[in-house]
Amino acid sequence: MELLKNKTAIITGAGSGIGESIALLFAENGAKVVVTDIDEDGGNRVLKAILKTGAEAIFVKSNTASFEDNQRVVTEAQRAFGGVHIAVNNAGIGGAQAPIGEYPLESWDKVIGVNLSGVFYGMRSQIPAMLEAGGGAIINMASILGQVGFDYSCAYVAAKHAVVGLTKNAALEYSAKGIRVNAVGPGFINTPLLSNNLPQEQLDQIAALHPIGRLGKPEEVAELVLWLASEKASFVCGSYYAIDGGYLAR
Ligand code: NAD
């Protein structure tokens, strides 16, 4: 079934991991996909994979921490496909690991810039376009760390908590105008964000924190995001949806 037929969807950070899986699943479901990423190689790789299936897509290189780039993404989407109906503000980074008293200031600024301001700049650019298109759906990528803390990750934890708050506010302001806004909170998912930064021993320890006994897969997160983006979730707005193998149940 094509759940997103005739919809145009912007996905930030779609050149890898969770964003890549969302982009591929959205395309499979009939969406015209606007792949965006700061990484040109990753973005073009995913674009090629989508075009190969016969679906429509474009790649727009964009730094999500730049308001101007977010605006350009929307303009390019409108130019290519006539409007914007769905946005997934997914781009994110991990940042340094250190206690707050020693946390590197530049890492704080970078993580807040990408993981929090990036989501605000995204919605700030996408919402006017969605109003013009007659409504839409936004999914912001939070984390289990938008609900609980995690040692030595203060910037990430603060940004993801703030994304949940920002999501609630956007829902208050725009639900009655036809834009549903929700946040998704994955547990630890096996993507380059984890595998490039942590040794296998630590990955095993992290997997054990999930009652289900393993890390999540990006494809599993994409299924939830697809549902939230689709009309099947027509009464869902302003919510945080955990997809975490039971992590938050402890
Ligand atoms: P990933 O590293 O595989 O992919 C992230 C993508 O974002 C990359 O393609 C990267 O180039 C892009 N990106 C980074 N900075 C950018 C910027 N400034 N502008 C545009 N693009 C940028 O990571 P992932 O695991 O797929 O993470 C995707 C999202 O999911 C992030 O917001 C992350 O915080 C969140 N998340 C991940 C996990 C996990 O365990 N992997 C858990 C919870 C939440």
Side-chain angles (χ1 to χ4, degrees), residues 12-20 36-39 42-43 62-66 89-94 110 113-115 141-145 156 160 184-194 196-197 215 218 221:
T12 72
S16 168
I18 296 172
E20 173 175 355
T36 85
D37 206 292
I38 201 167
D39 169 17
S62 161
N63 175 5
T64 204
S66 148
N89 292 306
N90 162 78
I93 54 173
K110 183 135 197 244
V114 175
N115 293 10
M141 195 54 67
S143 164
I144 43 171
L145 305 186
Y156 189 91
K160 293 299 187 183
V184 164
F188 287 87
I189 309 296
N190 200 356
T191 70
L193 185 82
L194 282 200
N196 287 351
N197 292 314
L215 298 174
V221 180

Side-chain angles (χ1 to χ4, degrees), residues 5 23 45 52 66 82 97 124 126 142-143 153 168 172 200 203 223:
K5 200 168 168 55
R45 186 177 54 76
K52 225 169 128 184
S66 148
Q97 291 195 295
R124 176 70 179 76
Q126 295 144 7
S143 164
S153 300
K168 289 179 183 167
L172 295 183
Q200 189 58 44
L203 286 177
E223 291 290 347

Side-chain angles (χ1 to χ4, degrees), residues 200-246:
Q200 189 58 44
E201 195 190 340
Q202 209 177 336
L203 286 177
D204 292 343
Q205 283 166 2
I206 288 175
L209 297 172
H210 301 72
I212 206 166
R214 63 171 173 86
L215 298 174
K217 300 177 197 157
E219 297 82 6
E220 292 174 313
V221 180
E223 291 290 347
L224 173 60
V225 175
L226 170 65
W227 180 75
L228 285 170
S230 79
E231 275 306 302
K232 287 192 179 280
S234 53
F235 197 54
V236 180
C237 54
S239 284
Y240 165 90
Y241 274 77
I243 172 158
D244 68 353

Side-chain angles (χ1 to χ4, degrees), residues 171-187:
L172 295 183
E173 292 162 5
Y174 290 100
S175 295
K177 294 181 175 151
I179 303 177
R180 295 182 300 102
V181 189
N182 290 287
V184 164

